Amino acid sequence: MLYPNNSVDKLGFTEVKELIKAHCLSEMGQQMVDKIQVMHNYDLIRKFLSQASEFKNILENDAPLPIHHFFDIKSLANKARIEGVFLSEEEFFQVQASLTTVFAVISYFNEREGQYPDLEALFEHLPIEKIILKHIDRVIDQKGKIRPNASRELMDITAGIAKAEQEARRKIDMIFKAATGNGWTADGSLTIRDGRLCIPVLAENKRKLKGFIHDESASGQTVYMEPEEVFTLNNKIRDLEFERRREVVKILTALTDELRPYAPLLLSYHGLLTKLDFVRAKALFAIDVDGAMPVMSNDARMKLINARHPLLLLSFKKEGKSVVPLNVQIDDSNRVIVVSGPNAGGKSVCMKTVGLLQMMIQAGLLIPASEFSEVGVFKQMFVDIGDDQSIESDLSTYSAHLSKMKYFVENANGKTLILIDEFGTGTDPQFGGPIAEAVLESLNHKKVRGMVTTHYSNLKVFASNTEGLENASMLFDNVEMRPLYMLEVGKPGSSYAFEIAQKIGLPQNVLNQARNKIGVNQKKVDTLLVDLERDKKEFIDAKNALEKQQRRVNDLQEENEKLKAYYDEHKRTLISEAKQEAKSIILNANKLVENTISEIKSSQADKDKTRDLREKLNVELAKNTVKPQTPKVVADDEIKIGDWVKLNDSETTGQVMEIARDNLIIAIGDLRTVAKKTRVTKVSKKTVPKEVRRGGYSSTSDMANFSPEIDVRGKRGEEALYEIEKYLDKAIMMGFGTLKIIHGKGDGILRKLIREYMRKYKEVDRMEDEHADRGGDGITYVYLK
């Protein structure tokens, strides 16, 4: 139930319906859009939403649905039901084209059985009678004209007409040629008069040629004659055409008789086409506004994530601007949100967004919000927006508001959504404020859900002290004195009346007089709200900085643990390999010694032979001798970022990333470790193996060369995500706070893909569009935690 009846106009729902109608292909679809209304049946709402979501998926990701023709075959089916009435060639063509579309659509879904269950339900149990098409195709061709061979009689008549026309043309050409040779004709060629082919003859020669005069020129010098011989043939043609017309009517009547038993089925086909046109229009509108199907619930609650007003979104798109998304939750604990803040700060738009999106959901329309939003069903929606003063009823603005409040209090319940704009205004604030508070208290006792906007301080205080009510404010930049159009739940907002007046340029003496006239308590409350907002912003900034440092410490600790585990694991492996190698060397040495002794014995200790064998032993010994490689120590200046150092208790070499007092953060390949300055020795870069240098980390060069901006325009989705993943990892490792991703506008597919992918990273805090003058939604700013 909606109250008052003009709520659909107040919230912009009527405009939404008009935009959907513009996408319809048929008048029947437009009529269905006109009938859209807010529903309360959860199962019906869910089904309609799912149908629109499935059709949107087809339009964006599947092959095009074969929808080409939408005609009103309902009226044709009703006409065919009447005995003795026949459909025309054009009407049969409309039936033919519509049935072709119906059967193609059913075939399309049959090929994807189970993929779009709610759309398939539209034609479930609907029989496919292709015999109807066969009957029509036998008589009507693809251009909507009756076939010349539709019957034997029609073929004979058509052939007779063609033969008579050829004979008439042959005779008139012959007579025209002879008359021209005699100089009887006027300039020009054969012409048509009254549907007859005539010869232009000079008026003075009209007695020289037998025939019938059908017309004459404006000057009277030329007459248009039909020769007597041709006149008879043309009459024969006319008779044959009448006969053909009678035969066509006979054929169409017989075809209509064949179609008559299928009239009820044609009405069912008409219903399917109408519903398809209707759902298609809803899906196209959803694509226009980036609509999605939220998580549905049968409870009276909502949780909107990144929600936007659809009409505002479309308007801003034309101007290249972006809408600030809305995040709000209304449930059992926070039943009514009391929104305060400066004028023109977005309070009313925020409330209208909530109301319109809820209305759209309960009408089966997808909404411009995250698919992770949660939306329930309300049995009643009560709206008080704008000025409803009535001359006829002798109601003032405030009286009209009070009349609505009376209805709200008497009829609201826990399944009611209330939306009240500028609660309590229209009369003396000393009395309007308490009355509004009393009404709000009464509504709260009834467990209603909703949102109200106000400037009254007593309502802000009441909301902060009352269970079920929650304060919220529209954020305002009190430095630049401009609204941010962002809703923050949890605290009331200042009206910033004096600040705005000061920025506009109201004289200072006037402002001082105004400050002196307001109450001391009110002045303290408003100042406290302004200071609280400023202090909270500073606190949030400090908290974010602290969290960033803590994450860095946690990362370093995790890397240190990984490095230790890496060393432990490889230490055991290296020892095992060394033992195996030593064992192999010993076995080989034993064999070599035994062979050498054997050869010395066989040569009877010949000096030359013995010397050669000794040299051979020395060569083998040199092969297995390990030369200790002590890095060259650089003993001059102190250790700096980018220097190479060796850990004193091992042969491990790494590069210095950062210096924190007496501690060094060292990069060893892809791993990081922390070591005291006293535990390392600075070494020359030349002594460090190339493979170690390639794996090292150059803090200075990498930080200098890294740019927090990446351009993925023109890349495919997977390729763009791969580049962004590498880029994001580097940015996180180097501690960058913001990143700029240039992806272009286009159809918005790449932007949507990138943003959905970035949300998977816990390090990502939020994302925003670039300013409209510098690229708008073609560029995404990513803010890291």
Side-chain angles (χ1 to χ4, degrees):
M1 173 186 173
L2 296 177
Y3 178 83
N5 293 329
N6 65 352
S7 299
V8 292
D9 299 323
K10 294 281 187 180
L11 292 176
F13 189 64
T14 303
E15 294 179 57
V16 169
K17 288 168 65 172
E18 289 300 317
L19 291 171
I20 296 174
K21 281 176 67 175
H23 287 295
C24 290
L25 295 174
S26 68
E27 187 177 345
M28 304 93 70
Q30 293 177 351
Q31 291 171 357
M32 282 200 74
V33 174
D34 287 332
K35 295 177 183 177
I36 292 179
Q37 58 184 351
V38 177
M39 300 173 289
H40 309 103
N41 186 308
Y42 169 77
D43 294 327
L44 199 59
I45 293 171
R46 194 215 62 80
K47 184 180 77 171
F48 285 174
L49 287 171
S50 182
Q51 287 175 351
S53 180
E54 288 177 359
F55 212 119
K56 178 173 176 277
N57 187 25
I58 290 175
L59 294 173
E60 290 182 327
N61 304 312
D62 210 335
L65 198 64
I67 298 178
H68 306 294
H69 302 286
F70 281 97
F71 296 106
D72 185 9
I73 60 175
K74 178 180 179 180
S75 60
L76 302 182
N78 289 330
K79 180 180 178 180
R81 282 178 162 181
I82 304 172
E83 292 286 343
V85 174
F86 66 90
L87 301 183
S88 66
E89 295 174 67
E90 175 63 23
E91 290 171 335
F92 270 117
F93 173 71
Q94 292 180 8
V95 175
Q96 180 188 49
S98 298
L99 293 189
T100 301
T101 298
V102 168
F103 298 148
V105 166
I106 294 176
S107 175
Y108 179 93
F109 285 110
N110 285 340
E111 292 174 0
R112 297 160 175 78
E113 186 175 0
Q115 193 171 342
Y116 306 107
D118 286 293
L119 285 176
E120 291 173 10
L122 292 176
F123 54 86
E124 192 175 12
H125 308 307
L126 187 64
I128 302 175
E129 291 291 349
K130 292 192 175 181
I131 189 67
I132 305 174
L133 266 184
K134 290 182 179 179
H135 288 320
I136 298 175
D137 290 343
R138 178 173 48 82
V139 175
I140 306 296
D141 63 18
Q142 297 302 313
K143 295 181 180 180
K145 301 298 181 183
I146 197 161
R147 297 183 184 275
N149 61 346
S151 72
R152 180 68 186 177
E153 292 77 8
L154 185 62
M155 286 179 62
D156 293 340
I157 295 171
T158 303
I161 291 173
K163 183 177 180 182
E165 287 178 342
Q166 289 177 359
E167 180 64 21
R169 182 66 191 223
R170 188 183 64 78
K171 277 193 172 293
I172 199 169
D173 284 343
M174 185 175 65
I175 295 171
F176 178 62
K177 185 177 180 180
T180 302
N182 292 328
W184 298 344
T185 60
D187 293 338
S189 57
L190 295 173
T191 185
I192 301 293
R193 288 293 186 272
D194 296 332
R196 302 275 187 150
L197 198 57
C198 299
I199 297 175
V201 180
L202 295 172
E204 64 266 22
N205 298 323
K206 63 183 179 181
R207 305 284 182 189
K208 297 178 181 178
L209 187 65
K210 291 184 179 182
F212 299 89
I213 298 175
H214 288 280
D215 197 5
E216 67 178 7
S217 65
S219 62
Q221 295 181 358
T222 304
V223 296
Y224 299 95
M225 296 184 65
E226 181 182 14
E228 188 177 33
E229 298 92 326
V230 180
F231 182 77
T232 304
L233 287 172
N234 281 339
N235 283 343
K236 181 180 179 182
I237 293 171
R238 184 70 60 86
D239 291 340
L240 287 172
E241 287 177 345
F242 285 135
E243 193 174 338
R244 182 184 183 280
R245 204 167 300 162
R246 288 191 292 272
E247 180 61 23
V248 167
V249 171
K250 179 181 175 183
I251 294 170
L252 294 177
T253 301
L255 183 58
T256 304
D257 292 340
E258 292 178 342
L259 191 66
R260 188 168 293 115
Y262 300 102
L265 187 56
L266 290 179
L267 293 176
S268 299
Y269 290 154
H270 170 85
L272 173 60
L273 288 177
T274 302
K275 291 172 185 174
L276 281 175
D277 190 20
F278 173 63
V279 179
R280 174 183 174 275
K282 292 199 299 181
L284 287 171
F285 175 74
I287 292 174
D288 290 343
V289 298
D290 299 326
M293 179 176 173
V295 178
M296 289 302 299
S297 160
N298 203 13
D299 300 324
R301 62 187 179 86
M302 69 169 65
K303 180 182 179 182
L304 296 177
I305 302 173
N306 292 333
R308 291 157 294 171
H309 194 290
L311 302 179
L312 191 63
L313 176 66
L314 293 175
S315 175
F316 275 28
K317 268 188 177 181
K318 293 178 182 178
E319 301 173 7
K321 302 178 182 178
S322 59
V323 178
V324 178
L326 168 69
N327 295 281
V328 65
Q329 183 169 347
I330 297 175
D331 50 27
D332 293 335
S333 57
N334 298 328
R335 292 189 297 272
V336 180
I337 308 297
V338 180
V339 184
S340 52
N343 286 319
K347 299 190 301 295
S348 297
V349 173
C350 172
M351 185 186 63
K352 288 181 179 180
T353 301
V354 170
L356 178 56
L357 296 193
Q358 184 62 42
M359 197 173 282
M360 288 174 63
I361 281 292
Q362 293 192 212
L365 303 178
L366 304 181
I367 59 172
S370 167
E371 60 183 2
F372 301 109
S373 300
E374 300 175 13
V375 182
V377 178
F378 294 88
K379 299 296 182 184
Q380 301 178 121
M381 293 181 67
F382 294 166
V383 179
D384 181 17
I385 297 176
D387 184 0
D388 281 339
Q389 61 180 326
S390 170
I391 297 176
E392 293 81 3
S393 303
D394 195 23
L395 291 178
S396 67
T397 299
Y398 188 62
S399 298
H401 284 311
L402 286 181
S403 297
K404 290 180 182 176
M405 293 306 103
K406 174 178 177 291
Y407 186 90
F408 288 9
V409 171
E410 291 176 350
N411 297 279
N413 55 48
K415 292 283 189 178
T416 303
L417 178 70
I418 64 162
L419 300 168
I420 306 175
D421 194 21
E422 299 296 347
F423 198 17
T425 57
T427 190
D428 189 334
Q430 290 186 358
F431 303 104
I435 292 175
E437 184 176 331
V439 170
L440 186 57
E441 184 176 8
S442 177
L443 291 172
N444 188 42
H445 284 319
K446 290 177 174 286
K447 308 295 184 183
V448 301
R449 271 72 166 160
M451 181 177 286
V452 301
T453 67
T454 186
H455 287 287
Y456 285 170
S457 297
N458 67 305
L459 294 182
K460 302 175 189 177
V461 174
F462 178 67
S464 65
N465 297 325
T466 306
E467 183 181 356
L469 305 184
E470 184 67 50
N471 271 308
S473 62
M474 301 305 298
L475 295 183
F476 190 82
D477 188 336
N478 55 6
V479 176
E480 298 186 10
M481 301 305 297
R482 63 179 181 86
L484 300 177
Y485 305 109
M486 296 175 64
L487 179 71
E488 182 180 28
V489 178
K491 71 175 187 63
S494 168
S495 296
Y496 290 95
F498 286 100
E499 289 80 2
I500 294 173
Q502 185 173 356
K503 183 182 180 184
I504 290 175
L506 204 64
Q508 190 62 42
N509 62 325
V510 175
L511 290 174
N512 293 335
Q513 291 177 17
R515 285 192 174 95
N516 294 331
K517 291 179 182 294
I518 66 173
V520 176
N521 292 333
Q522 178 61 41
K523 187 189 300 183
K524 287 182 178 179
V525 169
D526 205 58
T527 304
L528 181 63
L529 288 174
V530 174
D531 294 341
L532 179 63
E533 190 164 328
R534 182 177 58 252
D535 294 343
K536 183 175 181 181
K537 185 176 184 301
E538 293 176 357
F539 171 75
I540 290 174
D541 292 341
K543 180 183 175 184
N544 291 337
L546 183 61
E547 288 178 349
K548 186 176 180 180
Q549 291 179 1
Q550 185 61 45
R551 284 195 299 272
R552 188 168 186 81
V553 171
N554 293 340
D555 291 341
L556 290 173
Q557 184 177 357
E558 184 180 352
E559 288 176 0
N560 193 32
E561 291 174 356
K562 288 181 180 178
L563 182 60
K564 184 176 181 301
Y566 175 83
Y567 281 151
D568 292 341
E569 179 183 352
H570 283 71
K571 181 178 179 181
R572 291 191 295 269
T573 304
L574 289 172
I575 292 173
S576 176
E577 291 178 353
K579 288 181 178 179
Q580 290 292 334
E581 187 175 353
K583 183 179 179 181
S584 176
I585 292 172
I586 291 170
L587 291 174
N588 292 334
N590 288 336
K591 290 180 181 179
L592 181 61
V593 171
E594 290 174 358
N595 293 335
T596 302
I597 293 171
S598 175
E599 290 183 18
I600 290 174
K601 287 180 178 180
S602 63
S603 64
Q604 296 180 355
D606 181 71
K607 291 183 179 180
D608 294 334
K609 185 68 174 179
T610 301
R611 187 176 59 255
D612 292 340
L613 291 173
R614 187 181 293 114
E615 289 178 357
K616 186 176 180 181
L617 279 173
N618 291 332
V619 170
E620 292 297 326
L621 178 62
K623 286 182 181 180
N624 294 287
T625 299
V626 178
K627 296 180 180 179
Q629 295 182 355
T630 303
K632 184 179 178 181
V633 177
V634 180
D636 49 0
D637 55 352
E638 63 178 356
I639 297 173
K640 302 184 295 298
I641 293 176
D643 287 346
W644 290 90
V645 295
K646 180 182 77 68
L647 299 178
N648 294 335
D649 54 355
S650 72
E651 295 297 322
T652 304
T653 306
Q655 190 174 22
V656 177
M657 289 172 55
E658 293 183 22
I659 300 175
R661 295 185 180 178
D662 295 332
N663 295 321
L664 303 177
I665 299 175
I666 304 171
I668 304 173
D670 293 329
L671 300 176
R672 305 291 181 269
T673 188
V674 179
K676 293 286 186 181
K677 287 184 179 180
T678 57
R679 289 184 54 234
V680 302
T681 303
K682 185 175 178 181
V683 297
S684 172
K685 184 176 180 181
K686 295 180 180 179
T687 63
V688 181
K690 291 183 179 179
E691 60 271 16
V692 175
R693 292 204 300 269
R694 285 196 296 269
Y697 173 84
S698 177
S699 173
T700 305
S701 61
D702 285 5
M703 288 284 285
N705 295 329
F706 183 81
S707 171
E709 176 178 320
I710 184 171
D711 191 341
V712 294
R713 288 176 293 182
K715 297 183 182 293
R716 296 174 62 85
E718 293 182 359
E719 183 184 359
L721 293 181
Y722 175 75
E723 294 294 332
I724 290 172
E725 183 180 19
K726 295 193 300 182
Y727 165 75
L728 181 61
D729 289 342
K730 287 185 180 180
I732 293 172
M733 184 176 68
M734 295 181 183
F736 278 83
T738 59
L739 311 175
K740 181 178 179 182
I741 302 176
I742 305 173
H743 43 66
K745 295 184 179 180
D747 296 328
I749 296 174
L750 185 58
R751 180 185 73 244
K752 183 178 180 182
L753 181 66
I754 290 172
R755 293 190 179 183
E756 288 179 353
Y757 178 79
M758 296 294 282
R759 289 191 186 99
K760 299 176 182 178
Y761 278 85
K762 63 181 181 181
E763 291 85 2
V764 174
D765 183 17
R766 69 184 192 279
M767 290 172 281
E768 294 179 357
D769 291 341
E770 171 64 278
H771 190 278
D773 295 336
R774 298 189 292 273
D777 58 359
I779 298 174
T780 295
Y781 269 100
V782 181
Y783 293 87
L784 301 178
K785 294 179 180 177

